[in-house]
Amino acid sequence: MFPINIEQLTHIELAVGYGENHFSMSRGSFDYKQNNGNFTKLVKTDIKNDTGKVTLVFTEPKTGYLHYLEISFDNSTCFTVKYVNPSPVNTHINRYWLMLPAYENEHIYGCGETYSKFDLKGENVRIFVAEHQNAKRIGMKLIKEKFFGRHPEKVLPFNRYESYYAQPTYVSSERYFVHADINNYAEFDFRNADVTVLYTQEPPVIHIDSAESFPALSKKLASIIGHQHSLPSWVYDGAILAIQEGCERIDEKIKLCRDKGVKISGIWSQDWCGCRKTGFGYQVMWNWEWDKELYQDLDKKIIEWKNEGIRFLGYINPFMALEKELYQEATKKGYCVKNKEDKDYLVTITTFPAAMIDLTNPDAYEWYKNIIKENMIKLGLSGWMADFGEYLPMDSVLYSGEDPETIHNRWPAIWAKLNKEAIEECGMENEIFFFTRAGHTGTVSASDMMWTGDQHVDWSMDDGLPSVIPATLSLAMSGFGLTHSDVGGYTTVMHMTRSKELLMRWEEMNIFSPLFRSHEGNQPSRNVQVYDNEELIDHLARCSKMHAMLKPYLMECVSLNEAESLPVIRPLFYHYDENNAYTEKTEYLLGRDILVAPVIREKALQRTVYLPNDNWIELFTGKEYTGGTYNIDAPIGYPPVFIRKVSKHLDELLKLAEIK
């Protein structure tokens, strides 16, 4: 019997009420308060059975007003639960609590992207897109480290974290999913053992389905929310190296790295449109035109590099620099998001204000899309980071007249869709890709790829290297199967700077991901870089060669993600029904046949590895293992990686160990 059936769903409970939200935003982080009133637990008074539909009738105890939940189903596993309010006098209601059956010992995953937790059972999860890197939280972390030392294993209570990617979708270890077709702020409460409470601020429509396996379940989820397409084949041909500050410097670093055997598939220069030096660091000038002074002859160099097998990538986001020409054009045409005084809404990001393009304005949308076509694709860019999407203020005024509270979570998906359309309308889907960090339901089908955001350049479990793994796995369980991270992390503040060891361990991890892309960080001069000395370049060369050798395997995994919605990076329980697999958040499967256990602790030369019940061959030693827990030697350059002995790719994959 499947874990969710119609009999169980007739036990759903419902409460309603009304309330007002109060949001304030600081640098993309939201302080949220609400006044909820007239919370009313409804009484179930009837159950009506029809062909393909069951209707639960609820009554308000004091007024006698009726509320319906219509449960429709096509088969024994697939259900849609829809709230219906038949009483016109109840139009003031804007709060809904749907109480679904749950299992005491189940594990819960998804809800978008979570960093400090993977299993969400026992937590209350906000479904609200925001900047994950809260300035206040970073400040407190740095102060504590200064006075009490670093404790990377410590994490804050879950409710202290926000997320770039919040999606009203969760998957249970009992092999069912629940997806809410909603856009407003919501909370999914998994704190009770036998009931899950979905709190929404709009009439809920809930999709529920189950399957006998997680691969089958992922495919069913994709039929509702979509999936990603394959990437251009060139992205697997080595490392995409972050190099900035002009063509001359790029040429210098390319030669330095290539002379030592580094395989380079691309160069990512986020400052292609200019730089802005601030108190936070070396940042991009948000004026989406080629900076011909900083990047002389870039149009010619892009062709030259491409002929050498190296693509050029850039950067864009939905904001505009106030001091530049593109903003002057945008504001003159009325293309920016407005405030209550009908002036351009200026949002402070790190240390400077910027205007945001109103993506609900069809003319502004097409104008911005044309900037990508003319200034990026026509110039010859083969890809870019499509940053941000989380910052739509809740007190802004939109061209469409829509309430920002209704469109805020959708904003990143609209932004991703704009980028996707620009590429498709130029007929360049097989040549160009982009990657995003923010998301909601529509992002799954609109974005080519996610990256896990602005990790700290440290070993902290909630924000550093280790946080990449649960973030990636939670995205996978939310239906997004193509993800990677900045090699080396991004955020440097005060004493938090990148070490050589951290950079090398991060490279080792990202060999075994769909994309190998480095980042210089927000303060490049204070951080170790992949090309800084001979040891680092040698390490980069070996890692880039290994990643390139994985190309056939990775392309097969990505194709399966497109066709079958099998995430490229998967949790262990995806294929192994074992207790430890359901709680493991520091290991992952790359496709079906590779198990990766990255070294995530500073100065560690060993790590404990849990292997599911299978026959495994350790990549770098050739030793054979069965299921169990082992202490594995892991000197730098040799992370614990295991290949399934029955893999059809075994001989090909074991050759990775031969690379010097």
Side-chain angles (χ1 to χ4, degrees):
M1 180 182 292
F2 287 104
I4 297 292
N5 55 55
I6 189 62
E7 181 181 350
Q8 288 173 298
L9 293 180
T10 61
H11 295 288
I12 291 176
E13 298 295 335
L14 179 65
V16 297
Y18 61 85
E20 292 183 354
N21 293 327
H22 302 278
F23 291 95
S24 60
M25 183 182 76
S26 175
R27 294 174 172 82
S29 176
F30 288 81
D31 182 35
Y32 170 62
K33 295 181 176 62
Q34 59 179 324
N35 298 322
N36 286 342
N38 196 30
F39 172 89
T40 304
K41 180 75 177 293
L42 306 181
V43 178
K44 193 180 300 169
T45 52
D46 197 7
I47 300 176
K48 298 180 179 181
N49 289 282
D50 298 301
T51 303
K53 183 172 74 173
V54 172
T55 301
L56 308 183
V57 182
F58 295 88
T59 304
E60 291 187 30
K62 292 183 179 180
T63 64
Y65 295 151
L66 298 179
H67 303 258
Y68 296 163
L69 283 180
E70 294 181 350
I71 307 174
S72 56
F73 49 94
D74 297 327
N75 54 53
S76 61
T77 71
C78 180
F79 305 95
T80 299
V81 182
K82 182 179 180 180
Y83 170 84
V84 178
N85 180 356
S87 304
V89 294
N90 282 351
T91 54
H92 65 285
I93 290 173
N94 63 2
R95 299 289 191 268
Y96 309 85
W97 289 264
L98 201 64
M99 286 146 266
L100 298 174
Y103 293 84
E104 182 176 0
N105 297 317
E106 72 182 332
H107 305 276
I108 297 293
Y109 314 99
C111 291
E113 187 173 29
T114 56
Y115 295 84
S116 61
K117 290 263 187 177
F118 178 40
D119 181 0
L120 300 175
K121 190 69 172 181
E123 301 295 347
N124 185 58
V125 184
R126 288 189 301 268
I127 309 298
F128 187 73
V129 173
E131 168 69 67
H132 175 63
Q133 295 299 343
N134 181 296
K136 183 185 294 186
R137 184 164 61 79
I138 294 174
M140 289 302 298
K141 170 183 174 175
L142 293 170
I143 291 170
K144 287 180 180 179
E145 288 184 351
K146 197 73 174 175
F147 287 98
F148 304 108
R150 297 179 182 178
H151 298 281
E153 72 287 351
K154 287 191 175 181
V155 297
L156 297 171
F158 185 79
N159 64 5
R160 294 283 299 280
Y161 298 100
E162 297 172 283
S163 178
Y164 306 116
Y165 194 123
Q167 185 175 300
T169 309
Y170 69 89
V171 176
S172 166
S173 56
E174 296 295 322
R175 295 178 180 80
Y176 70 87
F177 71 74
V178 174
H179 172 71
D181 188 7
I182 57 174
N183 293 307
N184 289 10
Y185 178 96
E187 294 178 9
F188 285 9
D189 189 347
F190 306 110
R191 289 175 292 187
N192 297 313
D194 57 356
V195 64
T196 293
V197 181
L198 307 187
Y199 162 59
T200 72
Q201 296 185 357
E202 60 194 285
V205 178
I206 311 297
H207 302 282
I208 304 171
D209 209 341
S210 55
E212 294 182 345
S213 69
F214 286 106
L217 193 64
S218 292
K219 191 170 185 178
K220 286 186 172 185
L221 179 59
S223 70
I224 297 173
I225 64 175
H227 56 83
Q228 305 82 57
H229 296 283
S230 292
L231 299 172
S233 63
W234 62 265
V235 305
Y236 310 102
D237 290 334
I240 297 175
L241 299 183
I243 307 173
Q244 303 178 97
E245 300 183 74
C247 297
E248 187 175 336
R249 187 167 185 267
I250 291 173
D251 278 334
E252 172 195 330
K253 300 304 181 186
I254 287 177
K255 185 178 188 311
L256 183 67
C257 292
R258 276 193 152 181
D259 285 351
K260 297 289 288 181
V262 177
K263 291 190 73 66
I264 306 174
S265 60
I267 296 297
W268 176 51
S269 299
Q270 59 176 5
D271 66 343
W272 71 280
C273 49
C275 73
R276 180 198 297 270
K277 295 180 180 178
T278 72
F280 184 65
Y282 187 91
Q283 297 185 261
V284 179
M285 178 58 71
W286 295 348
N287 185 57
W288 316 119
E289 296 178 318
W290 162 24
D291 186 326
K292 295 183 179 180
E293 183 176 341
L294 182 59
Y295 281 86
Q296 297 178 20
D297 298 322
L298 179 60
D299 54 345
K300 299 181 181 65
K301 296 300 295 184
I302 287 175
I303 296 171
E304 179 184 318
W305 293 326
K306 187 175 180 180
N307 289 336
E308 296 175 3
I310 300 175
R311 305 295 183 116
F312 185 78
L313 295 85
Y315 174 98
I316 191 172
N317 67 43
F319 295 101
M320 307 217 82
L322 302 182
E323 60 268 55
K324 293 293 183 176
E325 297 78 10
L326 281 179
Y327 168 69
Q328 297 305 319
E329 181 180 353
T331 189
K332 183 178 180 180
K333 292 179 175 179
Y335 285 170
C336 299
V337 172
K338 302 296 185 183
N339 61 22
K340 301 292 186 183
E341 288 73 44
D342 198 34
K343 296 179 181 178
D344 293 348
Y345 202 124
L346 304 185
V347 178
T348 298
I349 313 303
T350 53
T351 61
F352 57 90
M356 182 185 297
I357 296 302
D358 189 342
L359 302 179
T360 72
N361 181 334
D363 292 337
Y365 185 94
E366 291 300 320
W367 177 76
Y368 219 54
K369 189 198 300 182
N370 195 58
I371 287 174
I372 294 177
K373 291 179 180 180
E374 292 295 320
N375 294 359
M376 300 174 75
I377 295 175
K378 193 172 181 180
L379 178 60
L381 272 67
S382 293
W384 54 83
M385 175 185 282
D387 204 358
F388 290 100
E390 313 91 342
Y391 281 58
L392 182 67
M394 305 301 267
D395 58 344
S396 59
V397 177
L398 300 173
Y399 175 89
S400 66
E402 293 172 274
D403 186 342
E405 291 192 17
T406 298
I407 202 170
H408 171 88
N409 278 340
R410 291 165 47 204
W411 200 257
I414 299 170
W415 169 231
K417 182 172 175 283
L418 183 152
N419 284 264
K420 187 178 184 68
E421 288 176 358
I423 295 171
E424 290 176 342
E425 290 169 16
C426 291
M428 299 294 284
E429 301 97 311
N430 296 323
E431 288 291 316
I432 297 174
F433 82 110
F434 67 99
F435 44 100
T436 52
R437 79 170 187 182
H440 187 61
T441 301
T443 310
V444 170
S445 58
S447 173
D448 289 344
M449 192 176 209
M450 296 301 297
W451 99 97
T452 53
D454 297 345
Q455 269 77 41
H456 295 181
V457 290
D458 67 12
W459 305 88
S460 60
M461 296 297 293
D462 56 353
D463 283 309
L465 183 154
S467 70
V468 169
I469 303 170
T472 300
L473 296 178
S474 58
L475 281 170
M477 298 313 294
S478 302
F480 210 112
L482 270 176
T483 315
H484 73 293
S485 65
D486 295 328
V487 167
Y490 171 76
T491 303
T492 291
V493 184
M494 292 173 56
H495 60 265
M496 185 166 58
T497 57
R498 180 194 296 156
S499 69
K500 180 177 71 172
E501 180 191 1
L502 180 78
L503 178 59
M504 295 169 84
R505 289 302 195 188
W506 214 308
E507 288 179 61
E508 294 169 9
M509 178 174 69
N510 277 30
I511 293 168
F512 302 96
S513 77
L515 194 75
F516 188 111
R517 178 185 57 82
S518 68
H519 202 312
E520 291 185 324
N522 63 301
Q523 297 189 32
S525 63
R526 296 186 60 212
N527 282 297
V528 174
Q529 303 296 343
V530 294
Y531 42 70
D532 272 358
N533 58 44
E534 189 170 325
E535 179 187 10
L536 285 164
I537 297 174
D538 286 343
H539 185 78
L540 173 64
R542 182 164 170 267
C543 291
S544 66
K545 290 174 187 174
M546 291 177 69
H547 185 73
M549 186 176 280
L550 276 170
K551 179 175 182 175
Y553 182 80
L554 288 172
M555 289 187 69
E556 180 179 296
C557 292
V558 173
S559 294
L560 285 171
N561 180 61
E562 179 178 26
E564 303 291 332
S565 299
L566 300 177
V568 177
I569 292 177
R570 309 167 193 172
L572 304 190
F573 64 76
Y574 204 84
H575 297 293
Y576 298 97
D577 186 12
E578 301 176 21
N579 289 336
N580 288 344
Y582 288 106
T583 58
E584 178 54 60
K585 69 171 188 175
T586 64
E587 304 175 16
Y588 60 88
L589 294 171
L590 181 68
R592 179 66 185 91
D593 294 336
I594 302 177
L595 186 149
V596 186
V599 175
I600 57 174
R601 297 189 185 280
E602 188 175 15
K603 298 180 181 178
L605 297 176
Q606 275 191 339
R607 79 153 282 176
T608 301
V609 177
Y610 153 66
L611 295 176
N613 188 25
D614 210 330
N615 294 311
W616 302 94
I617 298 178
E618 188 182 0
L619 174 60
F620 296 109
T621 64
K623 292 181 181 178
E624 295 192 22
Y625 293 84
T626 55
T629 301
Y630 304 91
N631 288 322
I632 303 297
D633 289 335
I636 287 180
Y638 299 89
V641 176
F642 299 83
I643 316 297
R644 291 178 71 224
K645 191 174 181 179
V646 298
S647 172
K648 66 179 181 180
H649 303 285
L650 181 64
D651 292 340
E652 164 198 335
L653 294 175
L654 289 177
K655 290 179 182 177
L656 292 167
E658 300 173 7
I659 295 176
K660 304 298 182 183

